[in-house]
């Protein structure tokens, strides 16, 4: 059986980080191979309009933006392949990526697998997600809820931050938490609980999102943690902020991840892993900014580093 050809650069993921890395490595004539997972285009394809990506003063549809990036990457010679990586072998050169019974080999690898927002799983959430009132990103969608009442679900820093951000637009923000105190840092918790537009809804477990029949969110049904009594908060927007799950499981035996599952880059770098020629970019490593533009920036940086690494090792020393 013939051995698979060795790729210059394999990029795993088709979100902003992965496709930006593809544009840069493609334009550097490296003929990148991009591996597509289960959500081609990444998280942005699930939002409606993106108003804060630089260069689009009228805003741009999330799906359209990702399609544009894909076309731009294709124009510079990027190849796409459907493959869900299940494990890797980074112990020798070239690096090996395993997708089921297929092995892909590469000199350099850019991992841009993103993160999936953790969801509550209550009835109505899936049906009304993305443009129908349920969202996971206040920075992306907050401006659509001007002068409306909205709810944020969660009790950590993300929930507090989302609630505070939403006070710029919404007439009132309900911060719904299943306990009687926030787990957020004290400064964020103090800011949220003392804000005149934020009403805390303690000891409340989300049980359903109402409005499926109408095709738009009309309220959040909650159950009191102690009494079990149910009630409905009438809101038009629901922001789920109960954490993210970075898509790093397939790599966690080979690369360092933190307690939350995020990749831990080498000290002094945002993208360099402990394995030479292997980089991480976007939401699988960044749990602070998590923006399309910051992911794109990391993808660009990873591409430039991969290009430099290849230039330095092109003599074929086989160094690992
Ligand atoms: P987090 O700290 O894990 O908090 C998740 C919150 O969601 C918890 O309060 C949890 O409740 C609640 N929750 C989980 N599952 C739930 C469910 N099914 N239904 C209802 N509530 C549920 O996540 P995070 O807030 O995204 O923060 C992640 C990390 O990023 C943290 O280290 C945080 O400090 C950091 N971060 C920092 C900043 C900042 O510094 N500006 C901003 C955002 C995030 P329980 O409390 O009951 O577990």
């Amino acid at each position: 059986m013939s051995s698979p050809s060795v790729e210059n650069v394999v990029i795993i993921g088709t979100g902003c980080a992965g496709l930006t890395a593809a544009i840069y490595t493609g334009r550097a004539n490296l003929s990148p191979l991009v591996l597509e997972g289960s959500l081609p285009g990444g998280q942005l394809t699930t939002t409606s309009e993106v108003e804060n990506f630089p260069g689009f003063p009228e805003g741009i549809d999330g799906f359209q933006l990702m399609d544009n990036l894909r076309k731009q990457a294709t124009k510079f010679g990027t190849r796409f392949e459907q493959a869900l990586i299940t494990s890797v072998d980074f112990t020798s050169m070239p690096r090996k990526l395993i997708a089921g019974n297929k092995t892909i080999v590469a000199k350099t690898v850019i991992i841009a697998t993103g993160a999936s927002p953790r969801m509550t799983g209550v009835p109505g959430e899936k049906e009304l997600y993305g443009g129908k009132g349920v969202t996971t990103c206040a920075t992306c969608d907050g401006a659509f809820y001007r002068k409306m009442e909205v709810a944020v679900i969660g009790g950590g820093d993300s929930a507090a931050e989302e609630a505070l951000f939403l006070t710029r637009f919404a007439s009132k923000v309900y911060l719904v938490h299943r306990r009687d105190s926030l787990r957020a840092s004290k400064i964020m918790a103090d800011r949220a609980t003392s804000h005149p537009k934020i009403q805390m809804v303690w000891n409340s477990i989300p049980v359903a999102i109402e409005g499926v029949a109408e095709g738009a969110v009309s309220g959040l049904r909650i159950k009191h943690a102690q009494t079990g009594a149910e009630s409905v908060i009438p809101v038009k927007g629901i922001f789920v902020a109960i954490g993210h799950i970075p898509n790093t499981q397939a790599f966690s035996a080979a690369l360092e991840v933190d307690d939350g599952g995020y990749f831990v880059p080498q000290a002094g770098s945002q993208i360099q892993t402990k394995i030479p020629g292997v980089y991480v970019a976007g939401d699988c490593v960044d749990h602070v900014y998590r923006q399309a533009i910051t992911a794109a920036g990391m993808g660009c940086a990873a591409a430039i580093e991969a290009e430099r690494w290849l230039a330095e090792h092109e003599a074929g020393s086989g160094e690992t």
Side-chain angles (χ1 to χ4, degrees):
M1 203 167 75
S2 65
S3 43
S5 57
V6 181
E7 301 287 343
N8 284 322
V9 53
V10 169
I11 298 161
I12 310 170
T14 53
C16 276
L19 291 180
T20 304
I23 291 167
Y24 273 77
T25 49
R27 202 157 173 272
N29 271 339
L30 294 174
S31 185
L33 174 66
V34 173
L35 303 181
E36 287 193 90
S38 49
L39 182 63
Q43 287 185 60
L44 270 195
T45 56
T46 65
T47 55
S48 45
E49 197 157 359
V50 182
E51 289 184 322
N52 53 8
F53 200 92
F56 299 94
E58 309 303 327
I60 181 166
D61 176 78
F63 187 87
Q64 185 65 55
L65 176 61
M66 297 319 297
D67 196 45
N68 287 354
L69 290 185
R70 193 187 174 100
K71 282 184 185 136
Q72 203 171 349
T74 305
K75 180 174 140 185
F76 294 120
T78 299
R79 293 161 299 130
F80 289 87
E81 196 175 307
Q82 195 87 34
L84 206 56
I85 298 303
T86 46
S87 64
V88 293
D89 179 359
F90 290 157
T91 55
S92 59
M93 273 301 271
R95 311 303 181 194
K96 292 188 186 67
L97 307 166
I98 321 297
N101 56 10
K102 184 171 183 176
T103 301
I104 297 152
V105 289
K107 296 176 198 166
T108 65
V109 179
I110 298 174
I111 304 170
T113 44
S116 308
R118 186 174 282 127
M119 303 303 286
T120 65
V122 301
E125 183 181 60
K126 206 172 169 184
E127 296 87 332
L128 296 170
Y129 185 73
K132 293 178 186 160
V134 178
T135 166
T136 52
C137 179
T139 318
C140 319
D141 297 329
F144 299 125
Y145 296 91
R146 272 175 219 280
K147 300 194 176 138
M148 295 183 205
E149 298 200 352
V150 299
V152 175
I153 302 172
D157 277 316
S158 293
E161 199 170 68
E162 299 277 275
L164 286 162
F165 184 80
L166 286 165
T167 59
R168 300 178 194 189
F169 312 102
S171 52
K172 183 171 184 174
V173 181
Y174 295 93
L175 183 43
V176 180
H177 185 33
R178 60 188 180 185
R179 298 180 195 275
D180 62 2
S181 65
L182 294 176
R183 93 165 39 234
S185 54
K186 188 174 177 335
I187 185 164
M188 292 297 284
D190 287 349
R191 275 188 205 153
T193 52
S194 63
H195 198 286
K197 272 192 177 180
I198 296 177
Q199 180 174 328
M200 300 306 305
V201 184
W202 299 116
N203 297 307
S204 296
I205 301 163
V207 289
I209 292 174
E210 313 251 310
V212 174
E214 301 81 30
V217 166
S218 60
L220 174 64
R221 178 170 288 275
I222 50 172
K223 183 175 84 173
H224 195 275
Q226 277 92 46
T227 65
E230 286 197 12
S231 57
V232 175
I233 310 173
V235 286
K236 294 256 190 309
I238 294 175
F239 290 77
V240 182
I242 60 173
H244 279 75
I245 305 168
N247 302 319
T248 58
Q249 296 82 349
F251 313 92
S252 54
L255 298 174
E256 198 183 338
V257 296
D258 67 14
D259 289 346
Y262 289 90
F263 287 123
V264 180
Q266 294 291 91
S269 169
Q270 285 190 310
I271 54 159
Q272 174 69 61
T273 71
K274 65 178 184 183
I275 309 288
V278 177
Y279 309 92
V280 287
D283 287 13
C284 58
V285 56
D286 168 23
H287 56 82
V288 180
Y289 302 112
R290 294 197 297 241
Q291 298 301 300
I293 189 65
T294 49
M298 292 173 88
C300 163
I304 292 172
E305 289 302 329
E307 191 188 336
R308 285 183 184 158
W309 192 93
L310 284 165
E312 278 169 28
H313 294 79
E314 218 48 324
S317 67
E319 184 191 329
T320 60

